[in-house]
Amino acid sequence: MIPYGRQHITEADVDAVIGVLRSDFLTQGPTVPAFEAAVAAACKAQYGVALSSATSALHVACLALGLKAGDRLWTVPNSFVASANCARYCGADVDFVDIDARTWNMSVPALAHKLAQARKANTVPKIVVPVHFSGQPTDQETIWDLAQEYGFKVLEDASHAIGASRSDEPVGSCRWSHATVFSFHPVKIITTCEGGMVLTNDKTLAWRMSLLRSHGITREAAHMTVRTDEGAWYYEQLELGFNYRMTDVHAALGLSQLTRLKNYVERRNVLAKRYDQLLEGFPLQRMTVDEKNYSSYHLYVIRVDVAKAYKSRREVFAALRQRGIGVNVHYMPIHLQPYYRQLGFELGMFPESEKHGAEAITLPLYPELSEAQQDQIVAALHQSLQ
Ligand SMILES: *Cc1c(COP(=O)(O)O)cnc(C)c1O
């Protein structure tokens, strides 16, 4: 089976990990701060806070941005559940903004419309989480203008999009957001096995996120509130935090992987353009990438519209799997998950996301996918559509 995504691990990666295993610190050593600084520099942000996953990164970012019970967070249905769950961890309510029919990212007109209504009902969200679906940046500058107008915070879920850029501005620079989250799960662009990071240009926000990452504990005298003269062992817990730390072993892998970020994204672009050419004329909807965008192509997604293809997604998907192509679906809309239905969401609420969820197939795409394998995938897709 050709998988839909796969990590690429080199001997240099292995050596970097072994180097930390032989060193004095497996966690809370020098490698995590080095990785944070390197990612922040690569993305032109001032601060990076590494965490155990993108999910924990979204959680601490929401807390540090002040999200609490009674508040609202909006995201898109066309994402992984973590984009919405972060609000629930904080006791806040989730609502969704439908996607654009062409880019499959948050529809900015739909966001503007919903905000205007929310202002009248006094239900403007505290945080909006745009998701750079498949690695293509959202219309972030317009979302930022709306944030100024309505006073919400912008938290980019860029789990798919490290290495992407919009108008030459790297995703993660936080030019048009308060904070940006990356995932380093093995199917993503670079990996730390499990891991994530939040980037921000706000020093206080970065400090609060690093506090929440490690139990809410500080060892810095300047932040202490009780006493500061007890000796070097002394620490204070200032609020209720978690153990969401990344280890130095994982950070060493990430630091080594980061040196190949540019190559990985270039290779993904080459393969994606090649898919575009090979699939020309197929009765399928392909991805539309805005000309301002350089996508990181975490995913290559096609859509099977039964009215055009005379085949259902289910049939095409099953035929591809049978031919050894490890296709996948991104995403079943979050609001249709049983957990979210229990909260009152139902079919029909976000029609573009629902249509996408019913038609989408993710084809294999990862740096080591060969042209020959890609030809095999396209041939299998051709047969599956017969
Ligand atoms: C993978 C992913 C996450 C969660 O990442 P983890 O590092 O596995 O916690 C969140 N949001 C999106 C859009 C993702 O694709």
Side-chain angles (χ1 to χ4, degrees):
M1 185 85 84
I2 302 176
Y4 85 91
R6 193 184 145 70
Q7 71 278 9
H8 174 238
I9 301 293
T10 64
E11 283 308 308
D13 291 345
V14 173
D15 291 345
V17 168
I18 290 171
V20 172
L21 286 173
R22 294 195 202 285
S23 77
D24 291 337
F25 295 99
L26 299 186
T27 191
Q28 296 176 284
T31 317
V32 167
F35 182 45
E36 290 171 334
V39 174
C43 301
K44 302 199 173 124
Q46 289 193 49
Y47 308 99
V49 180
L51 291 119
S52 54
S53 66
T55 303
S56 49
L58 287 163
H59 185 188
V60 298
C62 284
L63 287 173
L65 288 168
L67 194 70
K68 56 187 188 317
D71 290 335
R72 292 173 187 80
L73 175 147
W74 292 359
T75 188
V76 279
N78 183 36
S79 185
F80 185 57
V81 292
S83 309
N85 289 347
C86 53
R88 304 295 301 152
Y89 299 151
C90 304
D93 295 321
V94 174
D95 202 352
F96 300 94
V97 178
D98 211 352
I99 57 168
D100 177 84
R102 290 171 65 254
T103 63
W104 310 334
N105 269 333
M106 181 178 282
S107 160
V108 175
L111 173 65
H113 180 74
K114 198 175 172 100
L115 284 166
Q117 288 184 319
R119 179 182 268 165
K120 286 186 215 140
N122 208 14
T123 56
V124 171
K126 182 166 271 180
I127 302 179
V128 172
V129 178
V131 179
H132 305 306
F133 178 73
S134 77
Q136 157 154 241
T138 46
D139 181 355
Q140 205 53 40
E141 61 275 28
T142 315
I143 295 173
W144 189 238
D145 288 345
L146 290 168
Q148 310 316 306
E149 190 182 338
Y150 287 91
F152 58 84
K153 309 281 187 192
V154 182
L155 173 57
E156 297 175 66
D157 184 345
S159 291
H160 299 182
I162 191 169
S165 56
R166 179 169 176 84
S167 305
D168 293 323
E169 190 72 34
V171 168
S173 76
C174 302
R175 175 163 169 200
W176 301 300
S177 68
H178 295 91
T180 302
V181 167
F182 295 133
S183 171
F184 306 127
H185 182 277
V187 294
K188 306 290 165 73
I189 309 286
I190 60 167
T191 191
T192 60
C193 301
E194 295 281 1
M197 195 176 294
V198 194
L199 299 184
T200 184
N201 296 320
D202 180 332
K203 190 174 181 184
T204 309
L205 193 65
W207 177 74
R208 278 223 52 217
M209 294 189 294
S210 58
L211 196 69
L212 289 164
R213 163 177 69 182
S214 202
H215 310 279
I217 284 174
T218 186
R219 290 176 184 278
E220 290 171 54
H223 295 297
M224 291 181 185
T225 59
V226 180
R227 52 189 166 171
T228 59
D229 58 352
E230 281 294 320
W233 64 270
Y234 186 73
Y235 60 84
E236 289 185 7
Q237 183 194 341
L238 303 180
E239 59 181 309
L240 187 63
F242 310 89
N243 180 350
Y244 277 172
R245 293 188 299 264
M246 178 181 279
T247 74
D248 280 49
V249 178
H250 294 90
L253 177 57
L255 204 49
S256 180
Q257 290 253 314
L258 187 66
T259 62
R260 299 188 303 277
L261 173 64
K262 199 164 165 282
N263 296 354
Y264 284 161
V265 173
E266 277 170 14
R267 174 68 182 156
R268 286 175 176 276
N269 270 269
V270 166
L271 290 168
K273 302 272 142 61
R274 199 161 177 275
Y275 266 137
D276 284 343
Q277 283 162 9
L278 294 169
L279 298 178
E280 195 77 56
F282 280 51
L284 300 166
Q285 188 185 349
R286 283 179 280 124
M287 313 185 65
T288 307
V289 178
D290 184 331
E291 59 190 18
K292 287 183 188 164
N293 285 339
Y294 178 61
S295 175
S296 55
Y297 279 109
H298 162 52
L299 303 173
Y300 191 90
V301 178
I302 55 166
R303 279 177 45 175
V304 183
D305 177 354
V306 82
K308 279 187 231 138
Y310 303 108
K311 292 273 182 190
S312 67
R313 191 270 302 278
R314 193 194 173 93
E315 288 173 296
V316 176
F317 185 94
L320 284 165
R321 279 278 176 103
Q322 212 174 14
R323 290 179 164 85
I325 314 300
V327 283
N328 214 323
V329 171
H330 297 91
Y331 288 97
M332 169 174 167
I334 299 173
H335 71 285
L336 298 182
Q337 295 288 354
Y339 173 78
Y340 283 94
R341 288 184 198 242
Q342 280 168 31
L343 296 174
F345 294 99
E346 59 189 23
L347 192 69
M349 285 181 159
F350 304 101
E352 288 298 344
S353 300
E354 291 165 14
K355 196 164 162 21
H356 179 89
E359 296 180 353
I361 295 182
T362 303
L363 300 180
L365 179 60
Y366 48 93
E368 285 200 300
L369 186 77
S370 69
E371 269 89 4
Q373 284 175 313
Q374 202 179 20
D375 292 340
Q376 188 190 330
I377 294 159
V378 171
L381 181 57
H382 184 76
Q383 287 162 3
S384 306
L385 288 163
Q386 296 307 301

